[in-house]
Amino acid sequence: APRISSHAEGGGGGGGGGLDLTGMRAVDIGCGGGLLSESLARLGASVVGVDPTLKAIEAARTHAVIDPLTASIEYRNTVVEELVAAGESFDLVCGLEVVEHTTDPDEFVANCAALVRPGGALVMSTINRNTKSYLMAIA
């Protein structure tokens, strides 16, 4: 499997230089409407977008077919635990702004990590843990 760092120097599958994820398999956990999934696809990755909300998956599918670079994204109405149970693996696992919505953050992170192939990467982000951020993003 290709290493993420070896792709960071290339010209880029997404145009405009930068990161080229060609040949890599990526998953966007909690993909919502598919913004990150589409960006990863434009950078050349083979992308699976996962979300437990069917309406989000339907919206992502509808938007992705507009652009030939994103039309091949595989959107699934499922959760990370089901990917782990199925033995799935990825070069790049992304969970952006998702962990704060889970009931067991430690288990969620462990499941995401279990999907990473040797030499791959897990990329996560979350909001600040203060009252203002909580009220603006969660409540």
Side-chain angles (χ1 to χ4, degrees):
R3 293 188 59 90
I4 300 279
S5 60
S6 67
H7 289 259
E9 300 170 1
L19 193 63
D20 181 358
L21 301 180
T22 301
M24 300 189 76
R25 187 166 188 239
V27 63
D28 180 8
I29 305 294
C31 67
L35 293 174
L36 177 62
S37 295
E38 289 189 10
S39 293
L40 294 171
R42 286 187 182 105
L43 290 169
S46 171
V47 181
V48 175
V50 173
D51 202 283
T53 306
L54 182 57
K55 280 189 169 188
I57 291 296
E58 290 170 347
R61 286 177 180 152
T62 299
H63 191 266
V65 298
I66 296 169
D67 183 344
L69 292 175
T70 61
S72 65
I73 297 170
E74 181 184 344
Y75 285 111
R76 300 184 196 171
N77 180 216
T78 190
V79 293
V80 66
E81 293 85 356
E82 291 181 11
L83 297 178
V84 173
E88 299 256 13
S89 65
F90 300 87
D91 301 300
L92 177 61
V93 177
C94 299
L96 307 186
E97 311 300 321
V98 178
V99 70
E100 61 272 13
H101 298 285
T102 64
T103 56
D104 188 340
D106 291 336
E107 181 181 359
F108 175 75
V109 172
N111 280 319
C112 288
L115 295 173
V116 181
R117 291 179 177 163
L122 171 60
V123 178
M124 302 189 84
S125 69
T126 188
I127 61 168
N128 288 329
R129 295 221 173 241
N130 60 40
T131 303
K132 181 179 178 182
S133 293
Y134 180 82
L135 293 173
M136 303 271 304
I138 305 284

